[in-house]
């Protein structure tokens, strides 16, 4: 019964989201639409990042590198052969890649798969031993990606980057992928695989004593999360249409870290809420960094101000509000309806 | 007689210190075998070496006729050895029922894609795991607190939950490291009775470490005594109780029937 | 590769190696004591470089005063970071401490960006470190001689402190087993503060010499050296001071010699540390930092 009701409510809210997006698509300005797409991409990233950091408890600092891998992969696969001939001026592109061109959807899938494979390669040495090596290796990989991308001229076009990508990414693609990611992640977390990840997070020794292969489940969580980060990279590439090795800075990872921490490490719901808040709020905070004229006073924006604020928030949340918005709890229709009922009865009194 | 566990001449070193010296033990189906000894005698180490957490420097462990020395802990667990920990290792932030369901992970036959789509063996497996977990919680009198957070349980219940979790693995051999530590006398007596019923109803063998002598003497068929990593005695409870070597090993501690309180969490 | 070329590369490699080593020691000690990767450690190099720069250029202080000030203030900052950010969460899960460490690192970098600006400042090179000593075909920059001497002296002092003083011994004990130390009645927090101070002071000394060698002081200058120093610390066996110094040397030499042998690989120089880390992980399956299995 409750299951049936929940399904109907879920479908209904997806319908509302759909209607809202349709409305937004034809009525909102370019800037607002861009923010809406950013929100979708950041939800995708945050939810998958939360899977490895929050659910499986393995501290990764890899999202910016995975974004980069996904962005490059998908861009390489959608660019037309003519465009490739035109951009690769220093060194021609490696042969099979230079003539391949696939539809956007296929390129996203390939981006996801390639990124997941990279994650698996990284996981092999890292998860063989216990300890926080994932943090260092994934952080290092971000640097190494830049080095590799700058030096593999015939694949990535070096520091020139890839230009002239077709702007495939629109409201529907970004929100479609976002809903898909949330769906897959939530289902996974609620299955035995998700429970095994949590067991490893809570106590690896006890998890292994219960027959859970910690190496395997950690690698799986990492690859699963990297898959969606790679797909998000593909989306991002075809949103901004020009990518270069230095574009995917650690800033992305840092923003995501803030999001999952504020949302509550381990809570998918929290990641979604915080992704919306931070993407929106971060946009609003941009004014700190840009020159502005405030009530007649000239204010020369200060670059880095937003990041100072964000780091302070991150530290403060860690010190004083560790469970973030949601702690480790998740949204359920049961809880939501109960909450509404409470509010209503409180209003009557 | 169905031999389950057969340990031969197991030795363990910790950086030059020998924690276990030529330890041997056999546990068969239907047995409850006790492992006792003063603090630091190497009892937990024997369990750790059996379950693959520590690599022994010599000796071998056979389980169901198969040599399992050198296997990884999860592989050993899946082959049928479940254990509990001296200092309770629950998944504290998860619910009681989830704690038990996790042990069934290795019996899950659905792929992650089936889980995401909610098709195939997914529903059937989940239903089976969940009802089995409830069964085990009922068995341990924990049915009422199934959806509570594990860390919110009182100490005694946490111990019981750990045992329910171990049983969810459907083990052939159950290794219990100080299961009644922290339980009150009533709980201890009930647990002893429970253990005996369990042995009578399930085709399993039990290895048991505890400092509560009256409890150990009551439930065990045979007892192995360790001191400083060296096996010093093997025999029935009554033989052990009167063994002068055992008594002298325990000298200064409160042996002979009464509970030995020990200062270790 | 002829001998004098090899010797020349050796000089270069050892110079960077010493700097990595100085930075690695602090990483190593803090990880040993707290099991925490102190991501902010690399940024202390930047902080000390700025303090040194301002002391000389703005306040016109004499060199020694300015450097001593940089070292003292950085050491103090190290203590403050621990007290303010890490101490309150010692008991919470490790991932929280790691996240806080990332936050502190980002805060330092962006505070520098906001208050000082992103344009690199050119660190003044004092007279006594310019020039070089030529022996045969090998030219040894005077700065390198200074780097070797200062590193060796600091290393010797550091080892003496850890081996001979009470607090140093407590630190070593702490990095092996927390409980024993508490039984000994040593004030754990004091030992931890001391560890941070010592590690930060070494990083500060490294930072000064680093900015003489690569005289561009900017907010993010500590990031890459920090990462590499961590690898060096792992390479030398975390918790070991001489190991960290050795690890730094090996990394410095590896970077220099790989490029010397294969000049076309010069673009990959910054990737050497990463692959070294992977190799270490693959070849030492039982754990690098002596991860003792708790029971
Ligand atoms: N991982 C380890 N590293 C180093 N030494 C260890 C380790 N585990 C145990 N030891 C040492 O091995 C010896 C045996 O320890 P063990 O835990 O097996 O004793 P025990 O018989 O279980 O004692 P207790 O009754 O107190 O639980 C002790 O001296 C202990 O300090
Ligand atoms: Mg024990």
């Amino acid at each position: 019964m409750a299951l049936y009701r929940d399904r109907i409510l879920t479908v209904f809210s997806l319908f509302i989201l759909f209607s809202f997006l349709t409305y937004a698509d034809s009525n909102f300005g370019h800037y607002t639409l861009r923010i809406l797409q950013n929100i979708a991409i950041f939800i995708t990233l945050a939810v998958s990042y939360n899977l490895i950091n929050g659910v499986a408890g393995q501290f990764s600092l890899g999202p910016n590198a995975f974004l980069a891998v996904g962005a490059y992969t998908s861009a390489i696969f959608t660019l037309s052969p003519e465009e490739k001939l035109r951009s690769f001026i220093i060194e021609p592109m490696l042969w099979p890649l230079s003539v391949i061109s696939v539809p956007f959807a296929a390129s996203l899938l390939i981006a996801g798969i390639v990124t997941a494979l990279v994650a698996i390669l990284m996981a092999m040495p890292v998860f063989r031993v216990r300890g926080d090596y994932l943090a260092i290796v994934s952080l290092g990989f971000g640097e190494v990606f830049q080095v590799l991308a700058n030096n593999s001229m015939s694949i990535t076009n070096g520091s020139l980057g890839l230009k002239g990508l077709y702007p495939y990414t629109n409201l529907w693609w970004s929100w479609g992928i976002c809903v898909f990611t949330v769906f897959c992640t939530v289902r996974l977390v609620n299955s035995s695989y998700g429970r095994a990840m949590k067991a490893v997070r809570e106590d690896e020794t006890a998890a292994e004593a219960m027959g859970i292969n910690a190496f395997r489940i950690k690698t799986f969580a990492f690859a699963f999360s990297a898959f969606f980060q790679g797909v998000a990279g593909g989306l991002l590439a075809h949103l901004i249409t020009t990518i270069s090795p230095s574009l995917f800075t650690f800033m992305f990872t840092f923003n995501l870290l803030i999001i999952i921490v504020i949302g509550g490490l381990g809570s998918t719901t929290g990641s979604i809420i915080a992704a919306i808040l931070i993407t929106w709020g971060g946009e609003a905070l941009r004014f700190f960094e840009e020159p502005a004229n405030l009530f007649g006073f000239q204010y020369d924006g200060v670059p880095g101000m937003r990041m100072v604020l964000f780091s302070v928030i991150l530290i403060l949340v860690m010190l004083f509000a560790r469970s973030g918005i949601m702690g480790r709890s998740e949204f359920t229709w049961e809880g939501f309806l109960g909450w509404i009922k409470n509010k209503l009865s409180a209003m009557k009194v | 007689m169905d031999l389950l566990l057969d340990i031969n001449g197991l030795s363990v070193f910790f950086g030059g210190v020998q924690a276990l010296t030529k330890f041997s033990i056999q546990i068969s189906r239907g047995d409850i075998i006790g492992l006792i000894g003063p603090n630091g005698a190497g009892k937990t180490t024997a369990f750790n070496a059996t379950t693959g957490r520590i690599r022994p420097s010599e000796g071998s462990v056979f389980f169901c006729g198969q040599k399992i020395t050198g296997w990884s802990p999860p592989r050993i667990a899946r082959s049928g050895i479940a254990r509990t920990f001296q200092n309770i290792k629950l998944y504290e932030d998860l619910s009681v029922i989830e704690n038990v369901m996790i042990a069934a992970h290795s019996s899950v036959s659905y792929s992650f894609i089936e889980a995401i789509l909610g098709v195939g063996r997914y529903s059937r497996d989940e239903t089976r795991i969940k009802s089995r977990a409830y069964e085990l919680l009922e068995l341990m009198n924990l049915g009422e607190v199934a959806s509570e957070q594990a860390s919110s349980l009182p100490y005694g219940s946490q111990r019981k939950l750990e045992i329910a979790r171990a049983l969810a693995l459907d083990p052939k051999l159950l290794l219990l490291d100080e299961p009644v530590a922290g339980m009150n006398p009533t709980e201890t007596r009930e647990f002893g009775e429970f253990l005996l019923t369990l042995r009578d109803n399930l085709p399993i063998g039990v290895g048991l470490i505890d400092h509560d002598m009256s409890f150990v003497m009551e439930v065990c068929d045979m007892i192995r005594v360790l001191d400083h990593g060296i096996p010093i005695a093997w025999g029935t409870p009554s033989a052990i109780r009167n063994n002068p070597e055992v008594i002298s090993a325990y000298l200064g501690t409160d042996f002979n029937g009464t509970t030995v309180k020990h200062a270790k969490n | 590769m002829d001998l004098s070329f090899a010797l020349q590369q050796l000089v270069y490699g050892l110079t960077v190696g010493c700097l990595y080593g100085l930075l690695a020691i602090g990483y190593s000690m803090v990880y040993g004591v707290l099991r925490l990767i102190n991501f902010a450690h690399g940024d202390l190099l930047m902080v000390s470089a700025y303090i040194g720069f301002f002391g000389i250029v703005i306040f016109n202080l004499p060199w020694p005063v300015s450097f001593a000030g940089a070292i003292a203030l950085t050491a103090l900052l190290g203590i403050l970071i621990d007290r303010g950010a890490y101490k309150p969460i010692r008991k919470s899960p490790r991932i929280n401490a790691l996240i806080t460490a990332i936050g502190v690192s980002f805060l330092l970098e962006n505070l520098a960006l906001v208050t000082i600006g992103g344009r690199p400042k050119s660190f003044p090179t004092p007279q006594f470190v310019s020039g070089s000593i030529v022996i045969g075909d090998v030219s040894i920059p005077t700065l390198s001689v200074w780097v070797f001497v200062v590193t060796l002296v600091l290393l010797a002092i550091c080892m003496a402190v850890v081996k001979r003083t009470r607090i140093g011994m407590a630190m070593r004990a702490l990095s092996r087993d927390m409980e024993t130390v508490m039984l000994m009645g040593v004030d754990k927090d004091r030992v931890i503060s001391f560890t941070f101070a010592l590690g930060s002071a070494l990083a500060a000394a490294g930072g000064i010499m680093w900015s003489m060698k690569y005289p561009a002081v900017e907010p993010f200058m500590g990031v890459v050296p920090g990462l590499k120093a961590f690898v060096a610390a792992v390479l030398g066996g975390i918790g070991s001071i001489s190991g960290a110094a050795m690890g730094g040397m090996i990394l410095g030499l590896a970077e220099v010699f790989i490029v010397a042998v294969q000049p076309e690989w010069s673009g990959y120089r910054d990737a050497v540390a990463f692959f070294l880390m992977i190799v270490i992980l693959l070849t030492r399956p039982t754990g690098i930092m002596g991860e003792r299995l708790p029971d």
Side-chain angles (χ1 to χ4, degrees), chain B residues 43-44 86 177-178 209 264, chain C residues 295:
Chain B
K43 308 179 293 293
T44 301
Q86 179 171 353
D177 198 343
E178 306 197 14
I209 296 176
K264 213 177 178 183
Chain C
D295 69 7

Side-chain angles (χ1 to χ4, degrees), chain A residues 130-146:
Chain A
R130 284 192 196 184
D132 306 312
Y133 308 108
L134 181 62
I136 269 307
V137 169
S138 56
L139 184 61
F141 180 68
E143 301 289 326
V144 167
F145 177 84
Q146 283 194 38

Side-chain angles (χ1 to χ4, degrees), chain C residues 233-253:
Chain C
V234 171
L235 185 63
I238 273 261
S240 150
I241 290 174
S242 52
M246 282 304 286
M249 301 285 180
I250 293 172
L251 180 59
L253 287 173

Side-chain angles (χ1 to χ4, degrees), chain C residues 16-280:
Chain C
V16 229
C18 284
L19 298 177
Y20 289 156
L22 283 177
L23 203 52
I25 294 174
Y27 250 133
S28 194
M29 291 193 304
V30 168
Y31 193 98
V33 169
L34 290 183
R35 293 285 181 270
L36 163 72
I37 301 179
N38 178 16
F39 286 103
H41 189 67
D43 298 304
L44 295 177
L45 182 134
M46 174 270 296
V47 170
S48 135
Y50 270 122
I51 300 176
F53 173 83
F54 284 123
I56 295 161
V57 176
I58 311 281
F59 298 105
N60 278 317
L61 296 174
W63 294 100
V65 178
S66 177
F67 291 173
I71 292 175
L73 288 177
T74 310
L76 188 67
L77 179 65
I79 298 178
L80 287 179
I81 289 175
D82 172 56
R83 289 278 155 141
Y86 302 152
K87 190 177 165 216
I89 49 172
R90 289 237 214 285
K91 296 253 177 328
S92 50
R94 267 153 67 135
I95 195 160
N96 294 1
L98 287 171
I99 292 173
T100 312
I102 288 278
V104 172
S105 160
F106 233 62
L107 180 62
L108 291 177
E109 288 158 16
N110 286 289
L111 264 184
L113 183 63
V114 166
T115 53
I116 305 170
R119 252 215 347 258
K121 304 229 179 301
S122 150
F123 199 88
T125 321
Q127 199 57 48
F128 59 88
V129 298
S130 53
S132 47
I133 303 163
V134 181
I135 304 172
D137 287 337
V138 184
S139 133
I140 305 173
T142 317
L143 179 61
S144 292
V145 178
W146 276 99
V147 170
F148 298 149
V149 172
V150 171
T151 305
L152 281 180
V153 170
L154 290 179
L155 192 62
I157 293 176
C158 191
M159 305 264 281
V161 165
V162 168
K163 292 232 164 85
R164 305 247 189 283
T165 64
R166 231 180 90 78
I167 195 152
M169 288 191 288
M171 192 182 104
R172 277 202 307 167
L174 200 57
S175 74
R176 287 198 195 121
D177 194 338
M178 286 274 188
E179 285 165 58
T180 329
V181 175
M182 293 195 298
L183 291 179
M184 276 162 44
V186 176
D187 178 1
K188 223 173 73 183
D189 287 321
R190 254 191 64 211
V191 179
I192 294 172
S193 286
F194 174 76
T195 309
F196 271 89
L198 192 59
S200 308
L202 293 177
I208 299 279
M209 294 192 287
W210 183 279
S211 28
M212 287 183 185
K213 184 159 164 42
Y214 309 99
V217 182
E218 48 99 12
F220 299 94
M221 67 184 282
V223 177
V224 171
L227 262 175
K228 290 181 180 174
F230 185 80
V231 176
V234 171
L235 185 63
I238 273 261
S240 150
I241 290 174
S242 52
M246 282 304 286
M249 301 285 180
I250 293 172
L251 180 59
L253 287 173
E255 282 187 348
V256 166
F257 271 92
I258 282 173
V259 176
V261 174
Q262 286 287 343
E264 64 267 36
W265 287 359
S266 64
Y268 295 99
R269 186 180 154 149
D270 281 343
V272 171
F274 178 80
F275 289 107
L276 201 60
M277 179 82 198
I278 301 284
V279 171
I280 309 169

Side-chain angles (χ1 to χ4, degrees), chain B residues 53 87 89, chain C residues 293-295:
Chain B
R53 294 201 51 222
N87 48 352
K89 285 179 172 293
Chain C
L293 295 171
D295 69 7

Side-chain angles (χ1 to χ4, degrees), chain B residues 244-256:
Chain B
E245 228 178 320
V246 175
I247 293 171
S248 82
Y250 271 95
L251 213 64
T253 64
D254 192 8
F255 187 63
N256 265 341

Side-chain angles (χ1 to χ4, degrees), chain A residues 111-127:
Chain A
I113 293 172
V114 168
T115 314
L117 288 177
V118 169
I120 291 173
L121 276 183
M122 221 190 285
M124 302 267 218
V126 167
F127 291 143

